[in-house]
Amino acid sequence: MKIGIIGTGYVGLPTGVGLAELGNQVICIDKSEEKINSLKAGKLTIFEDGLEDIFFKNVQNKRLTFTTSMQEGVEDADVVIIAVGTPPHPETKEADMKYIHAAASELAKYLKGYTVVADKSTVPVGTGDEVEDIIRKQNPEADFDVVSLPEFLREGFAVHDFFAPDRIVVGVNKDRAVNVIKELYKPFEGKTEILFVNRKSAETIKYASNAFLAMKIHYINEMADFCEKAGADVFEVAKGMGLDERIGRRFLNPGPGYGGSCFPKDTNAMACMGKKYGAPLMLIETAIRGNDLRKAKMAERILSVVKDKKDAKIAVWGLAFKNGTDDVRESPAMQIVEQMLKNGANLKVYDPKAMENAKMLLGDSVEYADTELDAAKDVDVVAVLTEWPEFSEVNLVELKSIMKSPKIVDLRNMLKAKDPKQHGFEYQCIGLCS
Ligand SMILES: NC(=O)c1ccc[n+]([C@@H]2O[C@H](COP(=O)([O-])OP(=O)(O)OC[C@H]3O[C@@H](n4cnc5c(N)ncnc54)[C@H](O)[C@@H]3O)[C@@H](O)[C@H]2O)c1
């Protein structure tokens, strides 16, 4: 099939590469010339494990091309996928729909022949109707249907999740479009549950899923705080809870709070929708408030272990919102860093993949290190903020020998198994009474 994808970011690029690998002819469209030029020159614009090889393979066999021209990407396509950003509106926190509306309006005039316009961006309920109206107004003659194809990939596992999704959800109100989408997802038939629902249900499934996962994280974080006070061990508690199949083990890892480009914005957008429809979503609202407060509490926890906050030097291990990605959007680590900077802290930071993205936001307000050990040289405390596996492999004897004072605040519980206290560290992790 011929596919045009509008928006070549964390969702659009892996989706385009994956669809090309499945044998489709894919054109990735982005308005950012810098991104498209970089991709045309063979340089990936995001880090995702396993993406590079299939990217090169499909560029070479010419199944994957890149353009800034909407016309080039849309006019021959059987399916046009919209994968532009839906960031939170700075004031209302609703999903800001300007990119979706612009994309719908720009693509409309280039539609030729029957085309399915599929929305992959995470969008408020009713957006399918809006997109349909925008296209019809711009191009009353166009022969098209709009479907919702919510995306569930996890950053850091985008390639894995593209080829082995837990489920594929399709929101569609027209049989003609069902046939096109069935053709698109033929390679997944018999391997993955493909759920056809009405368009508004599909739009809701995406938000309801993300809000549920965010609440699960917030729940175990609150349990961790409780365990610290009550003398229980949150790891034992999480294990005991997770053995119940109705609860499940995943997403019961306590930490500094949920973050990233999806959970914070999607919980906020869902809460706004609840208000709009007169169906308040109080569990979600509580999780949002608690999660926001948590980041400030975590910064305080780190600062509380240094005596003189102004002169103390703190090593920060990890800036990405989670391991396996270079994405720092709404990263708890970045928010904790910013909070500590406000309190006058001197920071030396390191992340295996996210340094470039972090530099764009932090500028010269922090020092940058080349490795985790380089960051730890002569510091008063190491703060572990992202769960990069390599942090758990660090040699504690070497670490202790290069630090000014042997203190670790481990907000991801990465070093717990090594028992830093046995090695002479003052050590704090999450969810254990000290
Ligand atoms: N990042 C994730 O893990 C993830 C997972 C599931 C769903 N989503 C959803 O997918 C959507 C995209 O997220 P993302 O992280 O890929 O965003 P992103 O910011 O990484 O990429 C969006 C891209 O769209 C481009 N763009 C915007 N308007 C355009 C236009 N009119 N024409 C051409 N290009 C345009 C931008 O230049 C940008 O490159 C969002 O709604 C998000 O909530 C994201």
Side-chain angles (χ1 to χ4, degrees):
M1 296 178 92
K2 289 187 176 160
I3 298 164
I5 302 185
I6 305 172
T8 310
Y10 284 91
V11 166
L13 185 57
T15 303
V17 172
L19 287 170
E21 177 70 9
L22 293 177
N24 299 290
Q25 196 62 45
V26 178
I27 304 191
C28 290
I29 310 152
D30 205 287
K31 62 181 182 183
S32 157
E33 275 186 26
E34 199 186 336
K35 266 188 199 179
I36 294 300
N37 287 341
S38 167
L39 291 163
K40 278 183 171 170
K43 192 167 177 294
L44 277 177
T45 44
I46 58 169
F47 171 76
E48 271 295 341
D49 201 23
L51 190 62
E52 207 162 13
D53 287 350
I54 42 175
F55 165 78
F56 283 125
K57 181 177 153 200
N58 286 284
V59 167
Q60 266 160 16
N61 66 25
K62 299 201 168 35
R63 280 206 297 258
L64 180 63
T65 54
F66 301 94
T67 184
T68 52
S69 155
M70 190 63 85
Q71 178 169 7
E72 196 187 334
V74 167
E75 63 187 359
D76 293 327
D78 304 300
V79 180
V80 173
I81 295 176
I82 302 178
V84 300
T86 45
H89 188 282
E91 277 143 37
T92 64
K93 307 271 186 201
E94 287 171 284
D96 189 339
M97 297 299 286
K98 64 175 181 243
Y99 300 113
I100 296 280
H101 292 164
S105 168
E106 288 159 28
L107 74 87
K109 54 181 173 288
Y110 302 117
L111 291 175
K112 266 196 206 154
Y114 177 66
T115 313
V116 170
V117 176
D119 174 45
K120 215 167 225 325
S121 299
T122 303
V123 289
V125 179
T127 298
D129 300 353
E130 277 175 34
V131 168
E132 206 169 292
D133 289 347
I134 291 170
I135 296 176
R136 205 164 300 291
K137 252 188 216 142
Q138 292 281 330
N139 184 353
E141 306 302 314
D143 186 13
F144 72 101
D145 282 309
V146 175
V147 306
S148 166
L149 288 185
E151 179 54 64
F152 299 100
L153 66 75
R154 297 163 299 162
E155 275 181 38
F157 300 91
V159 175
H160 169 273
D161 290 353
F162 177 86
F163 290 106
D166 286 343
R167 82 293 210 190
I168 292 168
V169 173
V170 187
V172 54
N173 298 347
K174 299 274 179 60
D175 287 347
R176 197 177 175 199
V178 170
N179 295 331
V180 174
I181 297 299
K182 279 191 174 158
E183 178 69 22
L184 180 70
Y185 285 128
K186 214 178 196 135
F188 295 94
E189 261 175 31
K191 295 183 196 151
T192 300
E193 167 109 30
I194 305 178
L195 182 68
F196 286 88
V197 295
N198 87 41
R199 211 163 52 193
K200 286 188 175 173
S201 300
E203 290 165 344
T204 305
I205 286 169
K206 174 63 193 173
Y207 278 116
S209 302
N210 269 6
F212 189 84
L213 293 173
M215 287 193 299
K216 195 170 179 188
I217 296 172
H218 185 60
Y219 185 83
I220 200 65
N221 284 340
E222 284 197 336
M223 281 303 140
D225 292 349
F226 174 84
C227 288
E228 284 173 16
K229 300 271 192 238
D233 176 336
V234 76
F235 298 94
E236 293 174 357
V237 172
K239 192 169 180 188
M241 286 171 62
L243 288 171
D244 183 332
E245 278 180 18
R246 294 168 303 174
I247 296 173
R249 177 68 191 87
R250 291 169 74 188
F251 275 65
L252 288 180
N253 302 315
Y258 63 76
S261 69
C262 291
F263 287 173
K265 88 173 169 63
D266 292 348
T267 43
N268 274 305
M270 184 86 220
C272 290
M273 280 193 283
K275 286 193 183 120
K276 179 178 160 193
Y277 287 102
L281 298 164
M282 286 184 281
L283 284 175
I284 299 176
E285 287 172 17
T286 303
I288 294 169
R289 268 200 309 280
N291 191 62
D292 284 347
L293 287 173
R294 188 165 185 82
K295 269 66 79 66
K297 274 203 258 172
M298 293 295 123
E300 272 167 35
R301 182 183 279 216
I302 300 165
L303 292 173
S304 72
V305 305
V306 293
K307 281 190 195 87
D308 183 347
K309 293 182 187 28
K310 293 258 185 291
D311 281 337
K313 194 151 213 175
I314 298 169
V316 168
W317 287 5
L319 297 164
F321 83 91
K322 64 174 185 178
N323 69 319
T325 180
D326 60 354
D327 195 352
V328 296
R329 292 177 292 178
E330 295 281 329
S331 166
M334 293 291 284
Q335 291 164 346
I336 291 166
V337 161
E338 278 155 19
Q339 188 69 32
M340 290 196 291
L341 286 173
K342 272 191 207 149
N343 283 285
N346 294 308
L347 306 180
K348 206 169 165 192
V349 304
Y350 171 70
D351 186 284
K353 296 286 178 207
M355 294 295 262
E356 289 311 311
N357 286 339
K359 272 180 195 168
M360 284 193 261
L361 296 172
L362 297 173
D364 55 11
S365 61
V366 299
E367 260 183 79
Y368 298 94
D370 295 328
T371 62
E372 59 269 24
L373 285 178
D374 180 27
K377 257 181 228 150
D378 295 324
V379 300
D380 297 275
V381 56
V382 165
V384 185
L385 303 189
T386 308
E387 69 279 38
W388 287 102
E390 61 209 75
F391 297 159
S392 63
E393 282 153 26
V394 81
N395 181 325
L396 288 184
V397 176
E398 192 180 357
L399 179 64
K400 190 169 174 230
S401 74
I402 59 171
M403 288 178 71
K404 195 161 140 203
S405 60
K407 293 179 184 170
I408 301 172
V409 179
D410 183 359
L411 302 184
R412 297 287 188 170
N413 298 333
M414 297 299 291
L415 295 163
K416 179 178 164 277
K418 288 194 167 212
D419 201 351
K421 281 184 184 166
Q422 281 287 353
H423 288 78
F425 283 88
E426 188 182 313
Y427 178 70
Q428 278 195 36
C429 63
I430 300 277
L432 287 178
C433 68
S434 43

